Amino acid sequence: MLPWNWKRLLRPLATLLLTGAVAVGPAVTARADSAPSSGWNDYSCQPSAAHPRPVVLVHGTFANATDNWLGLAPYLVARGYCVFSGDFGQLPGVPLVYGLGPIDQSAEQLSAFVDKVLAATGTAKVDLVGHSQGGMMPRYYLKFLGGAAKVNSLTGIAPDNRGTTLDGLAKLVPYFPGAEAVVASAAPGLTDQLVGSAFLTKLNAGGDTVPGVHYTVIATKYDEVVTPYTSQFLTGSDVDNILLQNLCVLDTSEHALIGLTDRIAFHEVANALDPAHATATTCASAIG
């Protein structure tokens, strides 16, 4: 149950979404279990010498293990990675739309999913790649749930590391059909992301990073959900903060599309996963 003041804030947000959301495409209803036909979530996949760690993709708010990764997962599979994605933060009785439960509990679910991937692949560590909430939530796993011992790197695509606002979260909804139907109910995964929340205060206290994990943040200056976009960036001794427009001034992707379709961002993800063989990212990477 949300405190009264949060309900008071969520009601106008729900009205805004129900009257203003416009779906940009048909809802994709395939589940993560069907993803092996596209090459990912194949638990028989064995990492190669070139790419020795499995990649675990962490979806954002209102998304799920399939829809969020229809662009990036095949991109990485085609480059020889073993790729896995799970669903985190489901509310009871709400199918297909995830990232709405308490984020600390979602981090516990991520912990269990990483253990499952490690057991299947026989590897000691994974690389994490997350979009939006999925780029921020794993930091809780790394910092408080022992994840640092099992993770080599975390790449956040437009992560809300310092939080966002209700208006910012509303801008996500048109990209995820069905999301507007659930925001009027208690959704801790939304309020946990608000600037100044108790969750974010705990997460960011005492430093952004933990030793032994390499962090990459990929941001766009056109982000309309997490603003200013510089609030996504992390500080620490092993952090790369990347602004897409410094690589390609023509890139106009905003918060959702940077994770869903932006191949310039995808190229930077590949560089983060294999820095020893990184290549320059330019506007031409969009067709690579």
Side-chain angles (χ1 to χ4, degrees), residues 75 247-248 263-264 267-268 271 275 277-286:
Y75 179 95
L247 307 174
C248 176
R263 290 176 73 87
I264 295 173
H267 189 266
E268 276 302 300
N271 282 346
H277 299 95
T279 58
T281 302
T282 66
C283 293
S285 302

Side-chain angles (χ1 to χ4, degrees), residues 232-253:
Q232 301 172 30
F233 293 150
L234 298 172
T235 59
S237 60
D238 198 359
V239 174
D240 287 329
N241 291 313
I242 299 164
L243 180 64
L244 284 189
Q245 286 71 34
N246 288 342
L247 307 174
C248 176
V249 69
L250 301 177
D251 193 321
T252 60
S253 287

Side-chain angles (χ1 to χ4, degrees), residues 82-211:
C82 294
V83 180
F84 301 87
S85 62
D87 287 317
F88 312 105
Q90 184 180 26
L91 290 178
V94 182
L96 302 181
V97 179
Y98 295 79
L100 298 171
I103 296 180
D104 57 350
Q105 294 181 21
S106 295
E108 293 175 357
Q109 294 163 14
L110 173 62
S111 177
F113 188 77
V114 167
D115 287 348
K116 178 181 177 181
V117 170
L118 292 176
T121 58
T123 52
K125 291 188 175 184
V126 302
D127 289 303
L128 300 177
V129 179
H131 177 222
S132 192
Q133 181 191 149
M136 173 271 288
M137 175 268 276
R139 292 178 50 223
Y140 191 95
Y141 165 54
L142 298 176
K143 196 169 186 179
F144 299 111
L145 302 178
K150 302 175 184 179
V151 174
N152 174 69
S153 68
L154 168 61
T155 299
I157 306 172
D160 53 344
N161 285 315
R162 313 294 172 201
T164 181
T165 63
L166 284 170
D167 182 59
L169 289 168
K171 293 182 175 69
L172 280 173
V173 172
Y175 295 93
F176 302 104
E180 69 272 17
V182 300
V183 296
S185 63
L190 297 181
T191 55
D192 280 351
Q193 293 178 79
L194 296 181
V195 173
S197 71
F199 173 83
L200 287 171
T201 299
K202 177 181 178 179
L203 176 64
N204 292 320
D208 294 345
T209 65
V210 296

